Structure formats: structure tokens, C-alpha cells
Amino acid sequence: MKSLIKNFQHDSCICVINEYVNGKVYSIRKSSSTLSGIINLRREKEGIDWYNSQKNSDKIQIIEFQIFEKYGYLKFMCTKGYYPLKSYSYKKNFEVIELCLEHYMQVWGPIIEKFPLLSLYPFHGDLSLSGNILIKGVDLLIVDWEHYCFNGAPIGTDLVYLMLEALYFEYEESGKISGDSMRHVNKMILEMLKKKILSPFFCKGYVFKSLLQFIRNNKLIWGNQYNKFIFLTGDSAITKSFITILDFV
Amino acid sequence: MINNEIAKMITDMGFICDNNGIYTNGASGYWSNLSVKENQKFLEILSDAPPEEAVRKVIPQFFDMIYSSKREAALEFLDHSKPGICIDYGCMWGVLSFGMAKRGHSVIAVDQTYESLCFLQKRSLNENEKKIIPVQTDIRKFELSGVADFAIVNGVLEWIPVNENVNVGDYYSKSKAMNVKEEEPMFMQKEFLKNVFESLKSGGKLMLAIENRFSYEYFLGKKDPHANILFTTFLPRRISDIISRYRKNRPYRNYVYSFSALKKMVSESGYKNVYLYSAFPNYHFPELILDYSEEGIKAYKKYPNKRRITHKQKIAYYIEFFLMQIFKVKNLSPAIILIAEK
């Protein structure tokens, strides 16, 4: 049994088909017949390979990868036991965000240790609570590597993005950002500094403003999907006021 | 090489390749979203400008319909592991013909409308796509035997019983009464499916897409997308015919089907291993294509849709969400995609 569950979502130019065995997702097939989609599939393959090599185990098992002149696809096993998060709001995910920091240390740690002075490090490009982090107890798995860049971004960019997006979801949901969330952000940033996984790039001014600047200056990483950064491209009152709030973070 | 063989085969059938590179047997016919005049203007611009620019300039409203690779999603349910021959019946501007060619297959793109094929041919040259052979003829009379690995019938079956020339815009308004005695729509559709079956090799696959007769949208007051009349899709055919004759001065002939009726008709036309899928919000730009089964509908979820703009559309979507997510009434899905084997 097969079902197409995403088709060019966020202008990704990729369609995603789940293949089922005994009613459960067995494998996932991503394909594209556009240039940008094929580039993203290549990046996803590179990202998964890098991720697997860092963790020293095939967390995401690739079954098939083919790129032709005008068409390509990537098929991988569905990793069993991991589940998507139910809420994306910051205040409901303190523990998950802390787990992400730990996981980030484990995955990115070796490369930081080996090359501590690089200005750019491997970059997932879409580390988000909304579907790209799967969880099982205290273990987690990062999926959707289609924006991966080996020399992509200053260290810590993925985590800062994760927090910013979760804050946005909280703001969108409740119209405010709670004091607890702000304190947690503060704690996380101090922890990142302590563990040396926050680039000096973020320490020159406001952390989130620096991230927004980075995203604006590197639109090519996301191509057509740049528009999915609703807090950057949206013009609703909520996105505008959210950006204003960032002046105080 | 394979294209030369196909070209020879088509020539042997009595087709002649004209100056525009289109194989034609002189059959006349017209089905287009554009009027003849609009098409002429479009072709004039096309003679000087690259195809993409011409579309943006003259018919920007159809840009996505012509170019969006999102429309190719249903092709992912076919096996592209080795190159084959595909016949795209009623290819129009060729979005799926290009989709199949990009996946490595040689495509015989058949349509009755010469102007649409001129665009397709110009696009092929512009994109250096050599695997598509445009053929202008009446698709009901295009008879090949055992040559194709794939047959695409995308949004075509419901138009098979309509013999008149169609400019969709005019067709929606009142037309002249047709006094000619015509065959039963269902009979014509079945004969066409048998003809498509004949064109396939053993093991060849048919991909068919069509609206669902019992889509929840029609019960909510969406007009029949072919006849442009309320309720005619799901009412008994005889009553729909009376309504159509009264409102549009023409018989009701754009038959669409329920999942089970379509499966029955396709099976009776000789096909085996018939698989059904529900497409949301339609088969033109699908966001979800789910296996038509109790298990399949469980994968239904919220999906984005840029074309959901008006309040009516938003309310309809909430109703759809409710029907599919809570009650799992898959037989009310908006559209059907069918894959079958010879």
C-alpha cells in the first residue's frame, strides 16, 4: 500500500510517498522532476550520510538513491519507534529542547573538537519541532535533511533557529511569550556558550536578530522554500509584533 | 532509436509528420480551455517568444496547469525503474507527457487540438526534450496494438462521450441543441478503455484520473465541473439529462463515476489488478493521494492549499476534514486516481 502524503509542500518541489507494510509505514520515498527538487534530494542524501557517520550508526537507513538527468528519488527505511511531537510551542517543549542541545553536542561535537576554529559548520537548515525531530523517550532523531550544507552556518545556528521557531509557535498560539520560556531561552544560550556550541557570530548583538540576518543573507540555502519562514516573510500583525519582541531577547 | 521506431509505426498508421513536427492524419477536432481566437493569438506570440514567456504573457492563468511539476504526483504510482513507451491520451499542453519523459520514457502525446500540440512541440524543442512525439487525431480512434508500457488518461474519460468541439468557456454556457443521435456515454467510455487496453503490452499500466461522482463537494453545492450545473454528477443519469436539456439545451454526457463503478467499468474493459486512490483536493494539483482502503484513509491529515481562498472553500475544507478525519468516509473523496494493469 502506498500513499502520497506531501506534494511540493512549502514549494519544496519534492513529493513524499509512504509505503506501508501491515498497515505501518515501512519506507519513505522522496522524488522530484525539477532541478531544485533534485538538488535538495542530493543534499538530503549528503546530510543523512553525514548524520549517520557522526552517530556511528545508520540511524536513517537509505534503501535507494538515484539521480537521472531530469528526475531523482531517495528511498529510506522508516525508523521505527520514533514519533513526531504533538505540540510545537516553546513552553510545552522545554525537555525536548534540552534533549536537542544534548543531541547536537553528540552529533556536532566531534567536528567541533577536531576543527574548533572553523567559521562555518555542517548545517541541517530546518531543525524544527514541527516534524523534523522524532522522539523516543530520551532519544531523538533528526530527519528531513534537504537543506543540508556541509559548510553551511556558524555553529549553533540550527539550535538558535529551533528556539526561535518554537517561540514563534508559542506566540502565535497564545499571543505572548511566557516568562518561563524567556528564562529557558536564557538558560539554553548560556549552556550553548559553556559547551562552545554557539558561534561568536551570535554574541555580537541580539542572538535572534543575528539569526534573522543570517537567514536573510543566505536565502539561497532555502531556495523556493525561503517563504516558509513566516516570521520573516509574513506580513500579519502577529509576525510583525513577534519581530519587535525579538529586540528584547 | 526507440523514437524512430515509434515514428515509423505512427507513419505506417497513415500519419504524416508536418512542418511543425506534428504527426497528423487530418482528423479535425477541438478541445481547449482557450477559444480558437485566443489560441491563435497565443500561437502568434509563441512563434517569437520562448514557450514559458508566451504562457506568462498571454495565458498566465494557465501557467501552473501547463508547467507545474506538482501535477505529476500521480505518476509516482507507476514504476519508472526502466524506460518504456507511454501514450498520453488527450495530453493537451502536455504536462504529464513531460512528466513521463523526464522519468525516462518515450511518450506518444495524442490530442485532437492541433494548437495545443504546437505548444507542446515548441516546448519540447525549447527544453531539448526529444522523447515526446506529438500526434494529432481523435483519441477515440487512435488504435495501436500491444506497444505501450503505460497509458495516461488524465481528466479525459468524462469527455469521451462529447463529440462536439469544446471551448470550455463556451461549453459552460448554453449551446445549441444536438439532434444527432449519439451512442450511450457509458458505452463510448467503455469502448475507449478497451481501445486503451489494446494499446498496452501485457503487464502495461493504465493511470486514470477523474472526479468522483459522489464527492462531498457536489452535495455542498459545487457545480458539476463539466456540465456547470448543480447536482448533476450524483443525481440519477436520466434526471441529470432532463436538467441539462432544460438548463443548457444539451444532453448530459460528461459521466463521472463513483469508486466502485469506475473499478467495475475498468475491470469489465479487461484490466486486472485495479488499484484505487483518493485524491485531495483534486487530481489536478493533489496534496494527498491516499490508498482507497480503511487503512489508507487513516493517513488523511491537514494539508495546505494555496487555492483555498474564499470563505466557501474554507468551510468546505473543514467539512472535508471532518468527514475524512473523523468519519473516514473515503467514498466521498473529491477525486479518483486509478492504476490498473493489462
Side-chain angles (χ1 to χ4, degrees):
Chain A
M1 184 176 102
K2 287 182 188 178
S3 286
L4 176 132
I5 51 140
K6 283 182 195 173
N7 191 19
F8 282 49
Q9 205 171 69
H10 303 302
D11 294 324
S12 67
C13 297
I14 287 176
C15 58
V16 182
I17 290 186
N18 281 354
E19 295 178 347
Y20 299 80
V21 172
N22 297 330
K24 291 194 173 153
V25 183
Y26 174 76
S27 63
I28 296 160
R29 189 179 188 275
K30 292 185 168 187
S31 62
S32 182
S33 65
T34 72
L35 183 62
S36 61
I38 291 170
I39 291 170
N40 286 345
L41 289 175
R42 263 187 208 284
R43 287 165 70 176
E44 174 134 29
K45 165 75 167 54
E46 285 170 19
I48 291 172
D49 285 345
W50 178 80
Y51 184 53
N52 284 341
S53 69
Q54 298 307 302
K55 288 286 287 179
N56 229 357
S57 65
D58 282 3
K59 280 260 182 190
I60 303 171
Q61 197 184 331
I62 292 175
I63 303 169
E64 220 179 337
F65 174 64
Q66 292 280 350
I67 297 287
F68 304 98
E69 195 188 342
K70 294 176 181 172
Y71 176 66
Y73 64 89
L74 171 68
K75 186 173 171 180
F76 49 91
M77 297 281 285
C78 173
T79 314
K80 286 181 183 139
Y82 289 84
Y83 304 98
L85 300 172
K86 284 188 178 148
S87 167
Y88 313 142
S89 161
Y90 196 108
K91 67 179 173 190
K92 292 177 186 165
N93 285 294
F94 289 171
E95 283 177 15
V96 175
I97 291 166
E98 284 165 20
L99 268 181
C100 285
L101 190 142
E102 284 306 313
H103 190 76
Y104 193 84
M105 265 307 289
Q106 284 170 23
V107 177
W108 273 260
I111 196 164
I112 301 167
E113 210 169 285
K114 209 168 172 185
F115 306 105
L117 299 174
L118 293 179
S119 56
L120 299 172
Y121 286 86
F123 180 45
H124 177 276
D126 193 16
L127 190 62
S128 159
L129 298 179
S130 62
N132 296 347
I133 289 171
L134 306 182
I135 201 144
K136 179 172 70 175
V138 292
D139 197 12
L140 65 82
L141 184 75
I142 300 174
V143 296
D144 279 355
W145 288 82
E146 60 195 60
H147 300 301
Y148 170 79
C149 288
F150 184 70
N151 290 312
I155 197 69
T157 307
D158 279 318
L159 280 179
V160 175
Y161 172 71
L162 173 94
M163 290 192 285
L164 176 70
E165 199 200 46
L167 284 175
Y168 179 75
F169 284 131
E170 179 176 337
Y171 190 70
E172 196 186 41
E173 198 177 283
S174 59
K176 60 179 184 177
I177 296 172
S178 68
D180 285 347
S181 296
M182 297 300 277
R183 278 187 286 279
H184 194 267
V185 167
N186 206 25
K187 182 181 142 192
M188 290 292 291
I189 287 171
L190 289 173
E191 193 70 14
M192 286 169 75
L193 281 169
K194 199 169 125 192
K195 293 187 167 165
K196 296 183 179 158
I197 52 169
L198 188 66
S199 163
F201 170 78
F202 292 105
C203 306
K204 289 173 194 162
Y206 294 109
V207 171
F208 292 130
K209 286 270 171 175
S210 304
L211 173 72
L212 295 181
Q213 197 54 46
F214 175 81
I215 295 173
R216 279 194 198 101
N217 292 344
N218 293 278
K219 286 180 186 175
L220 278 178
I221 293 179
W222 295 277
N224 298 340
Q225 294 191 66
Y226 176 75
N227 288 330
K228 76 176 174 183
F229 296 120
I230 191 150
F231 43 81
L232 272 177
T233 54
D235 57 358
S236 65
I238 202 155
T239 55
K240 282 177 182 162
S241 57
F242 178 70
I243 293 293
T244 316
I245 284 171
L246 296 181
D247 279 335
F248 304 97
V249 183
Chain B
M1 185 61 195
I2 196 161
N3 276 28
N4 290 341
E5 285 169 23
I6 297 170
K8 187 178 175 306
M9 195 169 59
I10 292 169
T11 314
D12 289 347
M13 288 166 71
F15 286 83
I16 295 165
C17 184
D18 71 6
N19 293 339
N20 290 320
I22 295 165
Y23 288 80
T24 177
N25 63 356
S28 62
Y30 192 88
W31 193 106
S32 179
N33 295 81
L34 307 179
S35 66
V36 175
K37 209 173 167 185
E38 285 169 324
N39 243 325
Q40 276 167 356
K41 190 185 164 197
F42 179 47
L43 291 185
E44 271 170 34
I45 303 283
L46 193 63
S47 60
D48 297 326
E52 208 172 316
E53 198 184 310
V55 172
R56 284 192 196 279
K57 213 167 176 177
V58 188
I59 45 171
Q61 71 275 29
F62 294 116
F63 187 85
D64 281 350
M65 191 189 263
I66 296 170
Y67 274 103
S68 176
S69 298
K70 185 172 185 168
R71 296 194 60 194
E72 298 166 16
L75 302 182
E76 288 304 296
F77 289 82
L78 299 171
D79 178 13
H80 306 294
S81 57
K82 55 182 180 191
I85 297 172
C86 169
I87 305 175
D88 185 359
Y89 289 91
C91 64
M92 249 199 102
W93 288 308
V95 67
L96 296 188
S97 300
F98 278 89
M100 287 303 276
K102 285 190 272 184
R103 285 160 177 80
H105 309 294
S106 296
V107 182
I108 304 171
V110 194
D111 204 278
Q112 63 180 331
T113 313
Y114 189 81
E115 290 83 347
S116 304
L117 292 171
C118 281
F119 169 81
L120 185 149
Q121 179 66 355
K122 186 89 194 275
R123 184 180 166 192
S124 296
L125 292 171
N126 189 257
E127 296 179 15
N128 198 24
E129 184 52 81
K130 292 173 181 158
K131 292 195 284 288
I132 303 177
I133 296 176
V135 177
Q136 191 250 328
T137 190
D138 182 343
I139 57 171
R140 290 166 291 205
K141 292 172 187 158
F142 186 66
E143 289 170 355
L144 283 170
S145 186
V147 295
D149 300 279
F150 306 100
I152 309 284
V153 180
N154 188 63
V156 166
L157 189 67
E158 63 273 33
W159 291 101
I160 291 295
V162 178
N163 277 322
E164 63 184 301
N165 286 344
V166 176
N167 155 19
V168 176
D170 289 348
Y171 190 79
Y172 279 171
S173 56
K174 278 198 177 189
S175 69
K176 287 178 189 170
M178 290 186 298
N179 298 320
V180 187
K181 177 85 179 145
E182 291 189 284
E183 284 166 311
E184 271 294 299
M186 198 177 182
F187 173 79
M188 290 177 77
Q189 289 170 321
K190 224 177 209 177
E191 287 302 301
F192 171 71
L193 285 173
K194 284 179 187 167
N195 189 25
V196 173
F197 180 82
E198 184 58 29
S199 75
L200 286 167
K201 287 176 187 165
S202 172
K205 293 278 175 72
L206 162 74
M207 193 285 279
L208 187 152
I210 191 168
E211 287 81 6
N212 175 17
R213 181 181 182 186
F214 296 119
S215 163
Y216 75 93
E217 293 169 302
Y218 304 134
F219 294 99
L220 293 180
K222 183 180 175 180
K223 285 183 177 173
D224 181 327
H226 312 102
N228 199 29
I229 312 171
L230 283 170
F231 311 132
T232 45
T233 56
F234 60 82
L235 286 172
R237 306 291 195 201
R238 204 167 286 178
I239 296 174
S240 297
D241 192 57
I242 293 166
I243 296 172
S244 181
R245 283 175 193 274
Y246 175 71
R247 296 284 312 278
K248 300 283 178 181
N249 209 17
R250 78 160 91 85
Y252 181 72
R253 298 186 64 80
N254 299 98
Y255 282 19
V256 290
Y257 296 90
S258 65
F259 283 88
S260 53
L262 185 69
K263 185 173 182 174
K264 186 168 176 264
M265 184 161 74
V266 169
S267 301
E268 284 173 359
S269 304
Y271 298 84
K272 60 183 181 185
N273 298 332
V274 182
Y275 290 99
L276 293 166
Y277 297 90
S278 315
F280 300 90
N282 52 54
Y283 67 82
H284 303 284
F285 295 92
E287 298 288 347
L288 298 174
I289 301 177
L290 307 179
D291 188 85
Y292 184 70
S293 63
E294 298 298 323
E295 282 299 318
I297 198 68
K298 285 182 187 167
Y300 181 88
K301 56 174 189 169
K302 279 184 199 170
Y303 58 85
N305 183 3
K306 284 180 192 167
R307 290 171 179 79
R308 196 188 298 137
I309 301 161
T310 63
H311 286 302
K312 262 188 184 175
Q313 288 167 331
K314 286 175 186 168
I315 292 167
Y317 169 67
Y318 289 127
I319 293 171
E320 174 189 299
F321 185 78
F322 190 67
L323 289 171
M324 301 300 157
Q325 185 84 353
I326 314 288
F327 293 107
K328 318 279 183 208
V329 273
K330 58 186 191 305
N331 48 334
L332 299 184
S333 307
I336 307 171
I337 289 172
L338 176 148
I339 308 286
E341 189 180 329
K342 179 172 178 180

